[in-house]
C-alpha cells in the first residue's frame, strides 16, 4: 500500500513524542545530542522486540544459550579486540563554523555512486575537495585534514584521581560472549556448534547527528555468536543470513523493504560480512550485520590473556580454536524500522485524517484497550474486565473523551483491538471488539476475549 506523502521523519519524531513513544533525552535541559528516552508506549514495543529476538535466537535456535555480561570490562579486552588501536572514525572539522563531520558520511551524502568504505583517508580528502563538498551546517568548503577519533567512551576507576585507571564503556556486547566462551562451554558441557546470545547496552562516541534514533551514543545490541568448526562456517554464515530475514519479517517488516549489502572492504580478519538494510523514509540503511569472524577473536584472546581457547572435539580428538559467525542487531534501529513501517496517515471517507501505527499484534505495545462507553454507567464492569485481562497481557484503560477520540488515540499508539463495554455487556455479558486496521467490529462474550487475543498474537 502506498503511504501518505505527508509522512517524513519529522512527522514520525513528533508523533513519537506526542504519543509517549520516544522523547528527546534530558529534554528539559535542552537535550543531549544523539540521546533519546523511551516513553511508556515505546518501552513496551522495545521489550516485545527484545523478547521476540531472545525467543528466536536463544530459545528456538539449535544449541543456544544466553549470557548477561558486564558493561565495564578489563581494558585488556579492548586491546585484544583491536578497538583501542583502530575503532575510530575519520573526522574533519569545518574551519568556519567549527562543526565536526565524518568524512565518509559527507561523501555518502553527496553521492550514492561511490562507496567511501573502499577509500583511504587521503582519497576521501581529495574527493571532498575535487567535488566541492560543502559543510552541511554552514555551506562553506573549508575543512581540516581527516583525523581518526576513537569511538570508545572512557571513564576512570578508582577512589582518587592519582590511583585511578582508565576503563571503557563497551562499544559492542560481543566481547562479553567471546571472553565467556570457555566458561559457557565447560559449565554447560556445550558441544560445537553452539551459540551464545546477549542483549545489552553499548556506547559509542558518535558525532553524526540526525535520523532520530538511528545513530545514538548509547544503544542496545542483540548479538548472537555461533561457535563452529572451520569448514562449517560458510554454511552457518548463509544460515544466519536467512534466519535474519525470517526474524525481521516476523516483526512485520516487509521482505521488499529489506536487502543485503555485502561489505566490499572486509576487516582483515573477516572472511565474509554483510549488512541487512531496511528502507527507511530517508532511504536504505543498516539495521543488522552478519559476519564470519574466523577464529580471530578467540585467537586474540588466547594471545592477550594467555588462556588456551582451544576446543577439544570428543569424536575426532582434534584441538582447534573455533570460528565465529556473528549476527548483530541494533535494537533501537529495529524499533525505528518497525515504527517507520507501521506509521501511516489515512484519509477517511468523511475527509478527516487518522494517524495509525499498524504494528503486528505480537509486538504491539498494548494488545487491547478497555473503553467504558459511558463512564458513570459502565466503568465498574470495564474495570473488572481490565483487571482480569491484564493478568494475560499488556492492556490499557481509557475512559476520557468521546469513543471516537479514544479509538483514534489507540490507533495512534498501535493498539490492535479496542473493547467497548456498554449496556449489552451489563445485561448479556457481550462486548464489542474493534479492529484497528479494518475498523470493523465483532461481538464476543467477555470470557472469549482472552482466547481471541492470544490467537491474534500468535498469527
Ligand atoms: P554503522 O556503519 O551504521 O556505524 P556499524 O557497522 O559500526 O554501524 P556494528 O558495529 O556492526 O555497526 O554494530 C552492529 C549493529 O549495532 C548495527 O547493525 C546497528 O544496528 C547497531 N548500531 C551500531 N552503532 C549504532 C549506533 N550508534 N546507534 C544505534 N545503533 C547502532
Amino acid at each position: 500500500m502506498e503511504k501518505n506523502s505527508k509522512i517524513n521523519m519529522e512527522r514520525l519524531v513528533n508523533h513519537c513524542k506526542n504519543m509517549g513513544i520516544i522523547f528527546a533525552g534530558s529534554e528539559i535541559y535542552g537535550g543531549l545530542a544523539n540521546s533519546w528516552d523511551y516513553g511508556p508506549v515505546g518501552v513496551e514495543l522495545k521489550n516485545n522486540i527484545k523478547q521476540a529476538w531472545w525467543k528466536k535466537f536463544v530459545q528456538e535456535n539449535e544449541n543456544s544459550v544466553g549470557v548477561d555480561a558486564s558493561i565495564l570490562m578489563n581494558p585488556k579486552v579492548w586491546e585484544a579486540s583491536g578497538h583501542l588501536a583502530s575503532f575510530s572514525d575519520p573526522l574533519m572539522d569545518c574551519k568556519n563554523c567549527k562543526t565536526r563531520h565524518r568524512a565518509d558520511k559527507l561523501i555518502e551524502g553527496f553521492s550514492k555512486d561511490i562507496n567511501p568504505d573502499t577509500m583511504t583517508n587521503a582519497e576521501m580528502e581529495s574527493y571532498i575537495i575535487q567535488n566541492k563538498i560543502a559543510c552541511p551546517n554552514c555551506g562553506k568548503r573549508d575543512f581540516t585534514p581527516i583525523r581518526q577519533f576513537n569511538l570508545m567512551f572512557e571513564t576512570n576507576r578508582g577512589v582518587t584521581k592519582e590511583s585511578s585507571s582508565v576503563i571503557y564503556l563497551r562499544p559492542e556486547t560481543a566481547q562479553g560472549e567471546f571472553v565467556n566462551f570457555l566458561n559457557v562451554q565447560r559449565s554447560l558441557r556445550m558441544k560445537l556448534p553452539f551459540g551464545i546470545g546477549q542483549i545489552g547496552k553499548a556506547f559509542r562516541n558518535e558525532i553524526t547527528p540526525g535520523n532520530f534514533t538511528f545513530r545514538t551514543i548509547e544503544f542496545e545490541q542483540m548479538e548472537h555468536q555461533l561457535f563452529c568448526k572451520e569448514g562449517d562456517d560458510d554454511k552457518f554464515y548463509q544460515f544466519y543470513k536467512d534466519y535474519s530475514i525470517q526474524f525481521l519479517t516476523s516483526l512485520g517488516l516487509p521482505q521488499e523493504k529489506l536487502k543485503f549489502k555485502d561489505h566490499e572492504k572486509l576487516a582483515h580478519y573477516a572472511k565474509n560480512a554483510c549488512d541487512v538494510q531496511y528502507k527507511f523514509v530517508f532511504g536504505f540503511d543498516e539495521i543488522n550485520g552478519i559476519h564470519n569472524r574466523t577464529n580471530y577473536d578467540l585467537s586474540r584472546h588466547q594471545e592477550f590473556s594467555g588462556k588456551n581457547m582451544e576446543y577439544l572435539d570428543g569424536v575426532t580428538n582434534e584441538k582447534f580454536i573455533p570460528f565465529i559467525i556473528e549476527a548483530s542487531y541494533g535494537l533501537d534501529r529495529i524499533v525505528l524500522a518497525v515504527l517507520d513501517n507501521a506509521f501511516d496517515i489515512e484519509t477517511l471517507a468523511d475527509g478527516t485524517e487518522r494517524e495509525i501505527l499498524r504494528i503486528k499484534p505480537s509486538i504491539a505495545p498494548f494488545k487491547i484497550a478497555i473503553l467504558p462507553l459511558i463512564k458513570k454507567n459502565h466503568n465498574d464492569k470495564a474495570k473488572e474486565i481490565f483487571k482480569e485481562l491484564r493478568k494475560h497481557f499488556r492492556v490499557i484503560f481509557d475512559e476520557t473523551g468521546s469513543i471516537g477520540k479514544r479509538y483514534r488515540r489507540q490507533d495512534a499508539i498501535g493498539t490492535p483491538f479496542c473493547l467497548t463495554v456498554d449496556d449489552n455487556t451489563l445485561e448479556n455479558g457481550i462486548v464489542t471488539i474493534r479492529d484497528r486496521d479494518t475498523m470493523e467490529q465483532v461481538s464476543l462474550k467477555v470470557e472469549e476475549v482472552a482466547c481471541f487475543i492470544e490467537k491474534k498474537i500468535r498469527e
Side-chain angles (χ1 to χ4, degrees), residues 87 89 102 105 151 171-172 204 206 213-221 223 263 275-276 285-289 291 326 328-334:
F87 190 55
D89 275 344
R102 260 174 75 172
K105 296 289 163 199
L151 285 170
E172 62 174 27
R204 294 183 189 177
E206 303 268 10
T213 53
F214 184 80
R215 188 176 299 287
T216 50
I217 49 179
E218 173 182 344
F219 54 98
E220 244 170 310
Q221 288 188 318
E223 297 201 298
H263 287 200
D275 298 336
V276 177
D285 219 327
E286 171 178 350
I287 53 174
N288 85 271
H291 311 118
E326 171 179 82
S328 174
Y329 298 77
L331 173 56
D332 309 79
R333 286 193 190 174
I334 295 179

Side-chain angles (χ1 to χ4, degrees), residues 8-25 27 32-39 42 45 206 208-219 280-282 285 332-341 343 357:
N8 55 32
M9 208 25 110
E10 199 186 339
R11 184 102 193 222
L12 181 59
V13 174
N14 286 333
H15 185 81
C16 286
K17 178 183 156 90
N18 296 336
M19 293 300 143
I21 303 170
I22 300 171
F23 309 123
E27 197 182 350
L32 174 69
N34 297 6
S35 81
W36 300 90
D37 294 343
Y38 289 83
L45 175 63
E206 303 268 10
T208 314
N211 288 335
F212 203 12
T213 53
F214 184 80
R215 188 176 299 287
T216 50
I217 49 179
E218 173 182 344
F219 54 98
F280 290 95
V281 274
F282 55 81
D285 219 327
D332 309 79
R333 286 193 190 174
I334 295 179
V335 172
L336 183 61
V338 166
L339 289 169
D340 171 291
N341 182 58
F343 185 48
L357 283 179

Side-chain angles (χ1 to χ4, degrees), residues 265-300:
K265 193 168 83 180
L266 289 173
H268 60 280
Y269 53 84
K271 187 170 158 192
N272 244 323
C274 68
D275 298 336
V276 177
Q277 298 190 328
Y278 165 79
K279 192 179 181 194
F280 290 95
V281 274
F282 55 81
F284 272 104
D285 219 327
E286 171 178 350
I287 53 174
N288 85 271
I290 301 149
H291 311 118
N292 180 342
R293 305 182 57 100
T294 67
N295 62 5
Y296 173 81
D297 305 284
L298 293 182
S299 304
R300 290 281 288 187

Side-chain angles (χ1 to χ4, degrees), residues 6-209:
K6 287 181 197 154
I7 292 175
N8 55 32
M9 208 25 110
E10 199 186 339
R11 184 102 193 222
L12 181 59
V13 174
N14 286 333
H15 185 81
C16 286
K17 178 183 156 90
N18 296 336
M19 293 300 143
I21 303 170
I22 300 171
F23 309 123
S26 344
E27 197 182 350
I28 59 167
Y29 290 99
L32 174 69
N34 297 6
S35 81
W36 300 90
D37 294 343
Y38 289 83
V41 178
V43 69
E44 300 292 341
L45 175 63
K46 195 178 180 198
N47 283 341
N48 292 342
I49 294 176
K50 247 192 248 191
Q51 276 166 17
W53 186 89
W54 194 263
K55 182 160 181 276
K56 180 87 181 160
F57 283 84
V58 180
Q59 183 178 324
E60 291 175 2
N61 199 0
E62 200 66 36
N63 223 12
S64 275
V65 292
V67 293
D68 184 11
S70 295
I71 287 173
L72 301 171
M73 303 178 84
N74 187 311
K76 280 211 139 187
V77 168
W78 308 113
E79 252 178 77
S81 69
H83 282 82
L84 261 177
S86 60
F87 190 55
S88 54
D89 275 344
L91 301 186
M92 307 174 96
D93 290 341
C94 169
K95 289 190 197 156
N96 181 53
C97 71
K98 313 286 180 232
T99 53
R100 189 162 278 178
H101 304 273
R102 260 174 75 172
D104 53 334
K105 296 289 163 199
L106 287 176
I107 294 173
E108 270 175 17
F110 174 75
S111 165
K112 290 280 169 232
D113 300 333
I114 183 150
N115 182 357
D117 293 351
T118 59
M119 299 165 95
T120 62
N121 283 356
E123 284 166 348
M124 284 198 277
E125 273 172 14
S126 59
Y127 185 90
I128 286 168
I129 293 169
Q130 272 163 23
N131 290 284
K132 301 191 170 58
I133 299 179
C135 168
N137 188 49
C138 70
K140 287 267 162 24
R141 297 186 187 93
D142 194 8
F143 291 109
T144 61
I146 292 176
R147 280 177 300 167
Q148 292 294 138
F149 274 89
N150 198 295
L151 285 170
M152 284 200 291
F153 278 108
E154 281 182 24
T155 186
N156 292 290
R157 156 163 216 173
V159 270
T160 60
K161 196 79 183 151
E162 298 76 61
S163 68
S164 73
S165 55
V166 171
I167 51 174
Y168 303 91
L169 301 189
R170 66 180 176 196
E172 62 174 27
T173 54
Q175 299 302 326
E177 289 107 282
F178 302 155
V179 300
N180 281 300
F181 166 70
L182 291 178
N183 283 334
V184 171
Q185 194 265 321
R186 287 178 187 159
S187 59
L188 289 186
R189 298 176 306 282
M190 305 294 287
K191 292 198 173 48
L192 250 48
F194 73 88
I196 307 182
Q198 179 174 207
I199 302 179
K201 290 266 184 172
F203 304 81
R204 294 183 189 177
N205 204 347
E206 303 268 10
I207 60 120
T208 314

